[in-house]
Amino acid sequence: MGDPATPPASELAAMTIVDGASLKHPFSDRVPVRSIVCRPDGGAGLAGNRIRAGGWVKTGREQGKGSFAFLEVNDGSCPANLQVIVDAGVEELSTLVQTGTCVSVEGVLKVPPEGAKQKIELRVERVLHVGPTDPAKYPIPKTKLSLEFLRDHVHLRPRTNTISAVARIRNALAFATHSFFQEHGFLYVHTPIITTSDCEGAGEMFQATTLISEAEKLDKELIENPPPTEADVEAARLTVTQRGEIVAQLKASKATRDDISASVAELKVAKENLSRLVERAKLKPGIPKKDGKIDYTQDFFARQAFLTVSGQLQVETYACAVTSVYTFGPTFRAEHSHTSRHLAEFWMVEPEIAFADLQDDMNCAEAYVKYMCGWLLDKCYDDMELMAKLYDKGCIDRLRMVSSTPFERISYTEAVRLLEEAVKGGKEFEKDVEWGIDLASEHERYLTEDIFKKPVIVYNYPKGIKAFYMRLNDDSKTVAAMDILVPKVGELIGGSQREERYEVIQRRIAEMGLPLEPYEWYLDLRRYGTVKHCGFGLGFERMVLFATGIDNIRDVIPFPRYPGRADL
């Protein structure tokens, strides 16, 4: 027997087929709001179609002395709402009009009266579902809310216009990332989240260990069931000795097989009990130590392990076998920073290319950034318009500029010279400018926003401020590194040609004061069939910041993690 609420086949055909295209969601009985209101005609061409729609009420108001209500319903498929009209005879209106209420309705699309802002509206014939909300308790009212306030309601903030738009923009950028690299012959490789290598050498890593939880369990267990005393162990040893003597006596007296077997079984039980007592006697509360240090051989992986700060080192193993690869996944930094540019958990896009040098690296990175900007303009223009309206009126122009303008390329030495000239001309920076410094965000943004007014690639950085794996240049002072600087955020991409010479990289690891043992596998890539190769990393949230114009990185990731906060 079919669902009694399902319309007849003729009605379903009218619901789902318009101009030869299906409106209905492929795995639901509803029509997404986007399929209606985001058409070039605003949905007017769909008038007369009977559909089902669902979403959450953004605003609702009773009209005509309570005879009907207007609802602005959004299902997250686009920034626009679908106007829904419900008569009082169809459903109790007071529940429907509350912000946050979930509704599923069926009705006919009609063109509203002339002069209305909407091109189409839904006249409801049946209300299929109501998920009510208490307006006195609902924390996301229709009033304007700060992004900082929304961080305290991270589980409900996707219902706001801003956060849902950011989610769609983020989704589009992820899709664009995979499209770009797949179109250019790269292989997507999943690198480990748990690692024993510190890619950056900075030591700001979250440790992955079970020692603490195991120690807590043991402490509790030892309190509830104290370990045996020396007297308990000696008594068990005496029992074993006595049982052994009994077995020997039975054998000497040529007792029956059954008697000897029974006595041997008792001896076995006594030995097992002694073994258990000896092991429990060794148990000590707290984290296991050896020679005064934590004994990581007792840990889950039998060694120290961490959450990764980068998948680069691991993905290089695949680049040195299948040539063009990329990884795209979460990374972690235990840096106790509260700035608007730092997260403890964030996502990185890290391609790696074999048989390629620094110039190839810069070409790939520039093409990738341009591709993403163009993708947003093509696929997410309505969401970008919302960002322009609410946060950064220049964000769309910035995307257009970046997608169509060749990036400037200058050496680090030239960049420092330009900054020094700016200082001489009266420009003031919080951090002094001199050759050898790690450029601060204020320096990076000045180069891209004030001097060149477009993206800038700075290359050949001092070796002292860059990682051990970057290729040492012939001057022995700089490495073949490059950063892409963009307006709004400064550094967007950091990359380099990797050091493929075994002796050089071994020396660099030693210079940085890092132990060789954890990197022996990495050195093997240089020992066996070494090849020049390069790659870069793009901080995905920084790309979302750059695109949207939002100021704080905590507002462009679904579930932000930062010092003191790890909600949900």
Side-chain angles (χ1 to χ4, degrees):
M1 223 171 123
D3 178 357
T6 302
S10 59
E11 263 187 39
L12 274 175
M15 285 171 57
T16 58
I17 305 299
V18 175
D19 298 330
S22 174
L23 283 176
K24 191 169 85 63
H25 188 282
F27 305 112
S28 173
D29 64 355
R30 70 180 178 88
V31 174
V33 170
R34 182 179 189 84
S35 299
I36 302 167
V37 301
C38 291
R39 288 162 51 99
D41 62 2
L46 302 177
N49 279 272
R50 175 172 281 103
I51 67 159
R52 289 180 178 179
W56 287 264
V57 175
K58 291 288 187 178
T59 63
R61 64 190 189 279
E62 293 186 40
Q63 295 283 291
K65 297 181 179 179
S67 60
F68 66 96
F70 286 111
L71 310 178
E72 294 292 324
V73 175
N74 189 283
D75 66 357
S77 59
C78 67
N81 303 322
L82 175 64
Q83 181 162 285
V84 173
I85 301 174
V86 188
D87 289 330
V90 175
E91 188 74 21
E92 171 59 45
L93 300 181
S94 60
T95 302
L96 296 179
V97 296
Q98 303 302 334
T99 298
T101 299
C102 180
V103 296
S104 175
V105 295
E106 181 182 299
V108 177
L109 291 170
K110 295 183 181 281
V111 175
E114 193 172 344
K117 184 174 67 172
Q118 299 81 12
K119 303 294 184 185
I120 198 75
E121 61 189 16
L122 181 63
R123 301 292 180 93
V124 173
E125 295 178 346
R126 280 201 299 167
V127 174
L128 306 171
H129 167 77
V130 178
T133 188
D134 183 347
K137 296 179 180 179
Y138 186 56
I140 312 292
K142 60 184 177 183
T143 53
K144 189 175 172 93
L145 302 167
S146 71
L147 295 178
E148 187 174 15
F149 170 85
L150 290 175
R151 285 178 223 141
D152 292 329
H153 303 279
V154 71
H155 59 301
L156 293 172
R157 70 178 187 167
R159 296 190 186 184
T160 64
N161 293 337
T162 293
I163 300 302
S164 59
V166 168
R168 289 186 293 270
I169 290 168
R170 188 181 172 99
N171 171 73
L173 288 170
F175 199 132
T177 292
H178 288 295
S179 296
F180 175 83
F181 290 111
Q182 294 295 326
E183 287 172 13
H184 289 87
F186 284 70
L187 189 72
Y188 180 33
V189 176
H190 297 143
T191 49
I193 288 174
I194 295 175
T195 179
T196 55
S197 302
D198 182 355
C199 177
E200 299 300 325
E204 294 168 336
M205 305 177 78
F206 288 103
Q207 192 162 345
T209 179
T210 59
L211 287 179
I212 296 172
S213 58
E214 290 297 325
E216 288 177 342
K217 281 193 284 186
L218 177 61
D219 290 352
K220 182 180 178 182
E221 201 271 334
L222 289 177
I223 290 171
E224 295 174 353
N225 186 12
T229 63
E230 287 186 23
D232 293 332
V233 175
E234 284 305 313
R237 283 201 179 97
L238 180 60
T239 299
V240 169
T241 300
Q242 292 171 342
R243 296 295 184 198
E245 290 172 352
I246 292 173
V247 170
Q249 290 170 3
L250 289 173
K251 288 181 177 179
S253 64
K254 296 183 179 178
T256 66
R257 180 180 296 179
D258 289 345
D259 289 343
I260 293 174
S261 295
S263 187
V264 168
E266 290 176 349
L267 174 60
K268 183 179 179 183
V269 169
K271 285 181 175 180
E272 289 173 350
N273 182 52
L274 173 62
S275 179
R276 280 194 299 271
L277 289 177
V278 169
E279 285 302 310
R280 281 192 56 77
K282 291 178 183 177
L283 296 177
K284 298 289 186 288
I287 294 173
K289 293 190 175 182
K290 186 176 182 181
D291 301 327
K293 297 180 180 178
I294 294 175
D295 184 7
Y296 285 107
T297 62
Q298 303 301 309
D299 208 348
F300 188 90
F301 296 107
R303 61 189 299 184
Q304 275 189 287
F306 307 91
L307 300 184
T308 185
V309 299
S310 167
Q312 178 209 311
L313 300 187
Q314 287 86 355
V315 88
E316 277 188 57
T317 66
Y318 274 76
C320 293
V322 297
T323 67
S324 296
V325 296
Y326 71 105
T327 185
F328 180 12
T331 52
F332 307 84
R333 298 278 168 90
E335 185 178 358
H336 212 278
S337 174
H338 288 273
T339 76
S340 62
R341 293 289 182 270
H342 285 86
L343 287 167
E345 175 184 301
F346 54 99
W347 285 62
M348 290 285 289
V349 179
E350 297 175 292
E352 203 75 25
I353 320 168
F355 304 99
D357 59 19
L358 186 64
Q359 290 297 322
D360 300 312
D361 205 29
M362 291 191 282
N363 293 341
C364 180
E366 179 173 343
Y368 170 44
V369 173
K370 287 176 178 290
Y371 187 94
M372 284 193 289
C373 292
W375 187 280
L376 286 183
L377 292 170
D378 288 342
K379 314 284 188 184
C380 258
Y381 197 81
D382 50 357
D383 286 310
M384 289 308 306
E385 285 183 314
L386 183 68
M387 293 296 108
K389 177 184 176 183
L390 298 179
Y391 297 99
D392 184 354
K393 62 183 179 182
C395 64
I396 292 176
D397 289 338
R398 190 167 59 244
L399 289 179
R400 286 199 182 106
M401 181 272 290
V402 173
S403 67
S404 61
T405 306
F407 293 6
E408 189 71 32
R409 300 188 184 190
I410 59 171
S411 69
Y412 168 89
T413 301
E414 174 67 7
V416 170
R417 186 187 67 77
L418 291 171
L419 292 169
E420 287 175 334
E421 286 183 0
V423 171
K424 288 176 185 176
K427 174 64 181 174
E428 294 183 2
F429 293 111
E430 289 185 14
K431 186 175 180 182
D432 292 339
V433 178
E434 62 179 344
W435 198 96
I437 65 163
D438 196 0
L439 297 180
S441 179
E442 58 177 337
H443 303 140
E444 296 168 341
R445 292 188 62 176
Y446 186 77
L447 287 168
T448 184
E449 292 173 10
D450 293 84
I451 295 182
F452 293 105
K453 294 180 171 53
K454 64 177 180 176
V456 179
I457 305 180
V458 179
Y459 59 90
N460 289 347
Y461 280 78
K463 69 175 183 179
I465 60 173
K466 290 297 182 181
F468 70 90
Y469 52 75
M470 298 184 177
R471 196 180 199 279
L472 190 65
N473 287 327
D474 293 341
D475 60 10
S476 294
K477 293 168 53 183
T478 62
V479 289
M482 67 88 183
D483 289 344
I484 292 186
L485 316 179
V486 295
K488 187 71 181 176
V489 300
E491 181 190 338
L492 179 64
I493 281 178
S496 71
Q497 185 174 337
R498 315 311 190 190
E499 183 57 77
E500 86 280 8
R501 297 165 295 185
Y502 172 73
E503 294 80 7
V504 178
I505 196 167
Q506 188 182 42
R507 189 168 67 247
R508 289 280 287 146
I509 291 174
E511 285 175 2
M512 303 283 282
L514 298 171
L516 275 175
E517 189 275 330
Y519 300 101
E520 284 296 336
W521 65 269
Y522 190 68
L523 293 173
D524 277 351
L525 301 179
R526 279 74 181 165
R527 290 187 183 103
Y528 311 126
T530 190
V531 60
K532 72 174 181 179
H533 59 289
C534 63
F536 61 82
L538 173 135
F540 193 64
E541 284 71 32
R542 287 197 173 193
M543 182 63 204
V544 184
L545 277 184
F546 165 72
T548 61
I550 286 175
D551 289 325
N552 199 307
I553 202 165
R554 298 170 183 177
D555 302 318
V556 297
I557 189 169
F559 304 99
R561 272 82 177 94
Y562 49 95
R565 293 298 288 267
D567 298 335
L568 276 64

